[in-house]
Amino acid sequence: MDAPAAGYAFEYLIETLNDSSRKKFFNVPRLGGTKYDVLPYSIRVLLEAAVRNCDGFLMKEQDVMNILDWKTKQRNVEVPFFPARVLLQDFTGIPAMVDFAAMREAVKVLGGDPKKVHPARPTDLTVDHSLQIDFNKCAIQNAPNPGGGEPQKAGKLSPLKAQPKKAPCRGQTACRGSCDSGEPGRSSGKFSSQIENTPILCPFHLQPVPEPETVLKNQEVEFGRNRERLQFFKWSSRVFKNVAVIPPGTGMAHQVNLEYLSRVVFEEKDLLFPDSVVGTDSHITMVNGLGILGWGVGGIETEAVMLGLPVSLTLPEVVGCELTGSSNPFVTSIDVVLGITKHLRQVGVAGKFVEFFGSGVSQLSIVDRTTIANMCPEYGATLSFFPVDNVTLKHLEHTGFDKAKLESMETYLKAVKLFRNDQKNSGEPEYSQVIQINLNSIVPSVSGPKRPQDRVAVADMKRDFQACLNEKVGFKGFQIAAEKQNDTVCIQYEGSEFRLCHGSVVVAAVISCTNNCNPSVMLAAGLLAKKAVDAGLRVNPYIRTSLSPGSGMVTHYLSSSGVLPYLSKLGFEIVGYGCSTCVGNTAPLSEAVLNAIKQGDLVTCGVLSGNRHFEGRLCDCVRANYLASPPLVVAYAIAGTVNIDFQTEPLGTDATGRNIYLQDIWPSREEVHQMEEERVILPMFKTLKEKIEVGNKRWNCLEAPDSTLFPWDSKSTYIRCPSFFDKLTKEPAALQPIENAHVLLYLGDSVTTDHISPAGSIARSSSAAKYLTHRGLTPREFNSYGARRGNDAVMTRGTFANIKLFNKFIGKPAPKTVHFPSGQTLDVFEAAELYQKEGVPLIILAGKKYGSGNSRDWAAKGPYLLTSTGKVFGVIASFENDVEVTLYKHGGLLNFVARKFS
């Protein structure tokens, strides 16, 4: 059955863009007038896709009208959605591409042209989700600051990188190479070139260093283990139109999607339309921060979209989240993101779309927005949508978007009213529910002094610390006698005299942990350090300061932004990469400090930007420990105490004796965002683009066929031509009644795809293990079901192999069933195989919510191959619409599409 051309019913809405590009687009606002103007932006994207893809079969005019009438139809109707593209990670991508390869075989057998078989939607597949860690090494530095000690043994130089001509660094004081550059951070022309071209750098001098041996070993094992799959992926990218494979060593699906694959506005044959995406990764929701509608779905839905079918969803409620006010000057991006996430979790937005509006949205950077959108699982929303605005366009400009394309993008989005601005007008969207978050209500805070869950607002820090001194010894208290709370002890350190007291900071560390994931907070710390140094402020030398970032990339952008030397001048020199202070690997405090603490029984403090702290964890003599953002770590180090009210008390004085307060040196969010865009985003996108377009040596040298049909290897246990099409005829066979069927499984309620679909390691006693053993493999070579998703023989045997499957025939959790003719208790696969040989059709009896979950591709394919009838029954077989009836008559979606190509 051939469907009419998509969009035929609404061709009259096609117009030409009023700019130099002269591109075409569907002017959907003309369809609905005032109805359109009050739709949430996310619903407008659904509506445009419905109009553009309306063919009278898969997308009916009534579906379009239902979306237009969202205000009255939300929660009550199901609508189809055609996303612009599909994103796969390798575990779910392999079975989808194997199906397309098998379909080419079937089309040829039926007399059709296999070259016509291609995915209907642009499909990107990332390989790096399959990374397994076979080798690891945790080297934790425990040496006095600054660095030094015995030089580490050099790892093997990467064969994929140009070899450095001069000896690499081995440590700050032990460096004997060419990087005796004097002052840390002092740069030259050659220095800039080395930063740009060498992502793995010496933490002290930013010179090339050997690539970690563990990285090389893991890469080599990965290529060996996955060679068959990688060759198949490479063949797929060569022969299928609309398929792009992101080479290994590039990055995970959601990050590559955000940083490289996102278009914002799609262009196809001079037709413009909004970018949208579904994929097999829960972090797909990140792209909603760029104004791209997208969410994660199961493998079967993703493959259906690749085959030209829509995703079906209940028309959702849309919660409008209005951001108002201005954020507190001392609030970091992390404070804002966690504050908004906490509020949404409390309100309850499970299963709904969330859409942000209001004057406060413009204060959020793209990094903030994508982080909030990425945390949807934390508060249960399907997605959190940020419509495109000027902040988005500026970000895209910094990522290297073509200027002409940006201009066309802006013109188009404004023409179809998908561009957000802060000016209120009569066409404001109406929402199912509106919640308000005043950004001014989000306050900077720290956690401590003993437990990470005890949060303290920075404004209350002095009052809270004094209360802790008074309280009995416990989760917060130290029980210091009132007459001793003002005691001080003098120390001599490096020729100067200092006074220690309760609340004195003796450890300050910016360390490798969650705070470093967001570049804005690290840059904020660097900018604060710069302003502090310029104002003449210093950190007392007895404070044990350190900077241990999570990766060389942090060093890269701190250096390129020019703030690393200022952090260094305050004592925050890079000591290495890895867990250090937070796991108790603080360099020893000086004898003078230790003696003073003991002499005065002082409650001294450590401040760090990690996620763990307990009393005595940093050092057994440091009783109060606080978790803080990186800029606050630097601020408390400068103040020298946590017993301070930043609003009324100065950090210190400048050369003229003028008091310097925290607000005088705290960088604005605008300053941080600008530096983030210019010094982090652009280089990061440039590097990623090069990685994807150039590839890497192993991938580029990997041999792969380029034949129209894939040359299946009969000996392969990873890639196998599935049997879905074995009995395919040019025309569907007449439907036959299911008579004298036996019940394969008798299941209760809430049997999810986790119970059905093969996942995890392959048990040695399973049917899949027996199959692999028969093929000559040892248990060590079994790998996982995920790695063997391209082999239907393994996956069929792994269906219902979950040890927690409760089959009422058995009466206990086990992947077993009863073969009633013989009375034997067998593995589910073995029983199904026996029934099949006997010519007995099978059904499955299951309760409510059967098949719920995300692993739906093999949860559908596995039972199909087990029961030989192609239909799994609950109690009553029902068909919801004409599409389902058509697919059933054809024996399923794959058969339906194969016949269309033939």
Side-chain angles (χ1 to χ4, degrees), residues 603-750:
V603 179
T604 54
C605 302
V607 187
L608 62 152
S609 67
N611 66 353
R612 286 289 183 272
H613 65 355
F614 304 102
E615 185 174 15
R617 183 182 177 102
L618 305 189
C619 178
D620 58 8
C621 60
V622 180
R623 286 190 272 172
N625 300 295
Y626 289 90
L627 301 181
S629 65
L632 281 176
V633 172
V634 177
Y636 279 114
I638 295 170
T641 180
V642 300
N643 194 15
I644 182 174
D645 182 346
F646 283 138
Q647 294 178 322
T648 61
E649 298 178 66
L651 293 171
T653 59
D654 64 12
T656 66
R658 181 175 66 92
N659 285 337
I660 305 295
Y661 294 85
L662 182 59
Q663 58 262 35
D664 297 328
I665 63 170
W666 191 271
S668 69
R669 284 175 62 80
E670 291 74 21
E671 286 180 274
V672 174
H673 289 169
Q674 181 179 354
M675 182 169 284
E676 184 178 41
E677 290 284 345
E678 294 175 355
R679 299 294 185 177
V680 181
I681 302 298
L682 181 57
M684 181 174 67
F685 276 72
K686 182 180 178 182
T687 301
L688 180 64
K689 185 177 180 182
E690 289 174 352
K691 274 188 175 182
I692 292 175
E693 294 179 355
V694 176
N696 61 59
K697 187 175 180 180
R698 288 190 182 92
W699 174 256
N700 294 340
C701 294
L702 184 69
E703 294 182 358
D706 54 10
S707 53
T708 300
L709 300 178
F710 184 72
W712 307 99
D713 180 359
S714 60
K715 297 179 180 178
S716 174
T717 57
Y718 279 99
I719 308 291
R720 183 176 184 267
C721 187
S723 56
F724 304 126
F725 304 108
D726 285 356
K727 298 178 181 178
L728 185 68
T729 56
K730 194 147 187 136
E731 296 296 329
L735 296 179
Q736 300 294 322
I738 301 174
E739 297 176 334
N740 301 316
H742 282 225
V743 177
L744 179 64
L745 292 165
Y746 180 22
L747 308 173
D749 295 339
S750 301

Side-chain angles (χ1 to χ4, degrees), residues 97-98 100-102 104-105 228-229 231-236 239-240 704-713 716 719-721:
M97 299 316 303
V98 165
F100 273 92
R104 284 197 159 196
E105 299 274 355
E228 280 187 64
R229 289 194 298 145
Q231 288 175 325
F232 178 76
F233 284 147
K234 198 163 188 178
W235 172 81
S236 298
V239 302
F240 289 117
D706 54 10
S707 53
T708 300
L709 300 178
F710 184 72
W712 307 99
D713 180 359
S716 174
I719 308 291
R720 183 176 184 267
C721 187

Side-chain angles (χ1 to χ4, degrees), residues 701-885:
C701 294
L702 184 69
E703 294 182 358
D706 54 10
S707 53
T708 300
L709 300 178
F710 184 72
W712 307 99
D713 180 359
S714 60
K715 297 179 180 178
S716 174
T717 57
Y718 279 99
I719 308 291
R720 183 176 184 267
C721 187
S723 56
F724 304 126
F725 304 108
D726 285 356
K727 298 178 181 178
L728 185 68
T729 56
K730 194 147 187 136
E731 296 296 329
L735 296 179
Q736 300 294 322
I738 301 174
E739 297 176 334
N740 301 316
H742 282 225
V743 177
L744 179 64
L745 292 165
Y746 180 22
L747 308 173
D749 295 339
S750 301
V751 174
T752 70
T753 56
D754 288 340
H755 297 96
I756 306 169
S757 184
S761 59
I762 298 174
R764 296 191 178 194
S765 60
S766 66
S767 294
K770 294 173 188 175
Y771 166 82
L772 293 172
T773 301
H774 182 71
R775 306 284 300 218
L777 274 67
T778 64
R780 183 179 179 83
E781 298 169 309
F782 286 173
N783 213 323
S784 65
Y785 283 114
R788 296 189 181 275
R789 289 173 76 96
N791 185 330
D792 66 302
V794 172
M795 297 301 283
T796 305
R797 287 164 172 78
T799 302
F800 294 114
N802 190 309
I803 60 172
K804 296 193 176 180
L805 178 76
F806 190 90
N807 180 5
K808 294 184 179 182
F809 288 153
I810 302 298
K812 62 181 182 180
K816 303 283 186 180
T817 194
V818 175
H819 177 254
F820 284 99
S822 67
Q824 299 179 78
T825 298
L826 304 170
D827 286 345
V828 175
F829 170 80
E830 292 170 349
E833 188 177 42
L834 200 53
Y835 278 124
Q836 196 174 64
K837 288 178 181 178
E838 296 164 350
V840 176
L842 296 171
I843 64 171
I844 293 171
L845 296 181
K848 298 175 183 176
K849 298 183 179 179
Y850 173 82
S852 59
N854 292 325
S855 302
R856 288 190 280 270
D857 54 345
W858 270 103
K861 295 173 183 175
Y864 173 88
L865 294 175
L866 287 174
T867 57
S868 75
T869 63
K871 189 65 187 175
V872 178
F873 292 89
V875 178
I876 299 173
S878 65
F879 298 96
E880 300 293 334
N881 51 52
D882 294 341
V883 175
E884 288 190 4
V885 172

Side-chain angles (χ1 to χ4, degrees), residues 392-412:
T392 316
L393 294 182
K394 188 175 181 181
H395 168 83
L396 294 174
E397 182 182 357
H398 285 150
T399 64
F401 257 67
D402 179 75
K403 187 176 181 181
K405 284 188 177 180
L406 278 178
E407 290 174 353
S408 290
M409 180 189 299
E410 182 176 1
T411 303
Y412 165 71

Side-chain angles (χ1 to χ4, degrees), residues 367-401:
V367 173
D368 297 337
R369 298 178 188 190
T370 53
T371 305
I372 293 168
N374 187 42
M375 295 183 79
C376 282
E378 293 290 323
Y379 46 87
T382 301
L383 56 86
S384 285
F385 191 73
F386 289 84
V388 176
D389 60 8
N390 287 321
V391 175
T392 316
L393 294 182
K394 188 175 181 181
H395 168 83
L396 294 174
E397 182 182 357
H398 285 150
T399 64
F401 257 67

Side-chain angles (χ1 to χ4, degrees), residues 356-561:
F356 289 86
F357 70 103
S359 58
V361 175
S362 295
Q363 298 184 45
L364 301 181
S365 70
I366 292 300
V367 173
D368 297 337
R369 298 178 188 190
T370 53
T371 305
I372 293 168
N374 187 42
M375 295 183 79
C376 282
E378 293 290 323
Y379 46 87
T382 301
L383 56 86
S384 285
F385 191 73
F386 289 84
V388 176
D389 60 8
N390 287 321
V391 175
T392 316
L393 294 182
K394 188 175 181 181
H395 168 83
L396 294 174
E397 182 182 357
H398 285 150
T399 64
F401 257 67
D402 179 75
K403 187 176 181 181
K405 284 188 177 180
L406 278 178
E407 290 174 353
S408 290
M409 180 189 299
E410 182 176 1
T411 303
Y412 165 71
L413 292 171
K414 288 180 176 177
V416 294
K417 299 182 179 179
L418 283 172
F419 192 88
R420 189 197 72 85
N421 61 59
D422 291 328
Q423 298 175 352
K424 290 190 175 182
N425 53 57
S426 58
E428 285 293 302
E430 296 179 4
Y431 296 102
S432 312
Q433 173 190 359
V434 173
I435 59 175
Q436 286 188 327
I437 300 178
N438 189 329
L439 294 178
N440 196 41
S441 67
I442 300 173
V443 297
S445 59
V446 298
S447 296
K450 298 184 180 183
R451 303 187 305 175
Q453 62 265 44
D454 296 325
R455 295 184 69 79
V456 184
V458 172
D460 299 330
M461 184 65 159
K462 182 170 185 174
R463 182 167 56 251
D464 188 82
F465 181 75
Q466 290 173 341
C468 290
L469 293 180
N470 288 317
E471 286 183 24
K472 291 182 179 180
V473 174
F475 290 134
K476 292 198 70 169
F478 298 103
Q479 200 170 349
I480 302 298
E483 66 273 14
K484 295 194 174 213
Q485 290 182 12
N486 294 320
D487 287 357
T488 62
V489 179
C490 291
I491 65 168
Q492 292 290 325
Y493 191 85
E494 294 184 352
S496 298
E497 183 176 282
F498 301 94
R499 288 181 176 271
L500 293 186
C501 56
H502 295 292
S504 289
V505 173
V506 293
V507 176
V510 177
I511 59 175
S512 170
C513 225
T514 52
N515 276 322
N516 290 354
C517 296
N518 191 323
S520 65
V521 291
M522 294 297 289
L523 291 171
L527 285 170
L528 186 141
K530 180 180 185 302
K531 293 186 177 188
V533 171
D534 290 343
L537 299 178
R538 293 288 184 269
V539 173
N540 290 332
Y542 60 81
I543 298 176
R544 188 63 71 204
T545 51
S546 62
L547 172 58
S548 178
S551 72
M553 175 57 77
V554 181
T555 302
H556 184 168
Y557 64 68
L558 288 178
S559 178
S560 64
S561 61

Side-chain angles (χ1 to χ4, degrees), residues 210-459:
E211 187 166 351
E213 190 175 355
T214 53
V215 174
L216 295 175
K217 285 185 175 181
N218 279 316
Q219 286 178 353
E220 288 167 5
V221 171
E222 277 292 292
F223 263 77
R225 175 193 292 125
N226 297 311
R227 178 171 294 275
E228 280 187 64
R229 289 194 298 145
L230 292 175
Q231 288 175 325
F232 178 76
F233 284 147
K234 198 163 188 178
W235 172 81
S236 298
S237 67
R238 287 176 174 176
V239 302
F240 289 117
K241 296 176 183 176
N242 284 343
V243 173
V245 174
I246 308 303
T250 304
M252 290 182 287
H254 54 280
Q255 204 68 32
V256 173
N257 184 33
L258 180 69
E259 297 169 2
Y260 181 77
L261 302 175
S262 296
R263 281 87 152 174
V264 182
V265 170
F266 227 90
E267 181 180 332
E268 198 172 85
K269 297 180 180 177
D270 286 336
L271 181 70
L272 300 178
F273 52 93
D275 189 5
S276 57
V277 60
V278 294
T280 53
D281 183 74
S282 61
H283 297 286
I284 295 289
T285 54
M286 285 183 79
V287 296
N288 290 278
L290 273 178
I292 299 170
L293 197 70
W295 65 93
V297 296
I300 196 71
E301 291 92 342
T302 308
E303 189 168 343
V305 173
M306 294 171 66
L307 291 164
L309 267 68
V311 173
S312 181
L313 72 155
T314 301
L315 201 57
E317 294 180 64
V318 183
V319 177
C321 183
E322 183 178 14
L323 301 182
T324 61
S326 299
S327 57
N328 184 304
F330 300 140
V331 161
T332 67
S333 291
I334 289 176
D335 294 319
V336 172
V337 168
L338 294 181
I340 291 174
T341 298
K342 179 182 178 182
H343 196 95
L344 290 172
R345 189 187 301 118
Q346 291 171 341
V347 169
V349 293
K352 303 173 184 178
F353 284 13
V354 175
E355 187 167 296
F356 289 86
F357 70 103
S359 58
V361 175
S362 295
Q363 298 184 45
L364 301 181
S365 70
I366 292 300
V367 173
D368 297 337
R369 298 178 188 190
T370 53
T371 305
I372 293 168
N374 187 42
M375 295 183 79
C376 282
E378 293 290 323
Y379 46 87
T382 301
L383 56 86
S384 285
F385 191 73
F386 289 84
V388 176
D389 60 8
N390 287 321
V391 175
T392 316
L393 294 182
K394 188 175 181 181
H395 168 83
L396 294 174
E397 182 182 357
H398 285 150
T399 64
F401 257 67
D402 179 75
K403 187 176 181 181
K405 284 188 177 180
L406 278 178
E407 290 174 353
S408 290
M409 180 189 299
E410 182 176 1
T411 303
Y412 165 71
L413 292 171
K414 288 180 176 177
V416 294
K417 299 182 179 179
L418 283 172
F419 192 88
R420 189 197 72 85
N421 61 59
D422 291 328
Q423 298 175 352
K424 290 190 175 182
N425 53 57
S426 58
E428 285 293 302
E430 296 179 4
Y431 296 102
S432 312
Q433 173 190 359
V434 173
I435 59 175
Q436 286 188 327
I437 300 178
N438 189 329
L439 294 178
N440 196 41
S441 67
I442 300 173
V443 297
S445 59
V446 298
S447 296
K450 298 184 180 183
R451 303 187 305 175
Q453 62 265 44
D454 296 325
R455 295 184 69 79
V456 184
V458 172

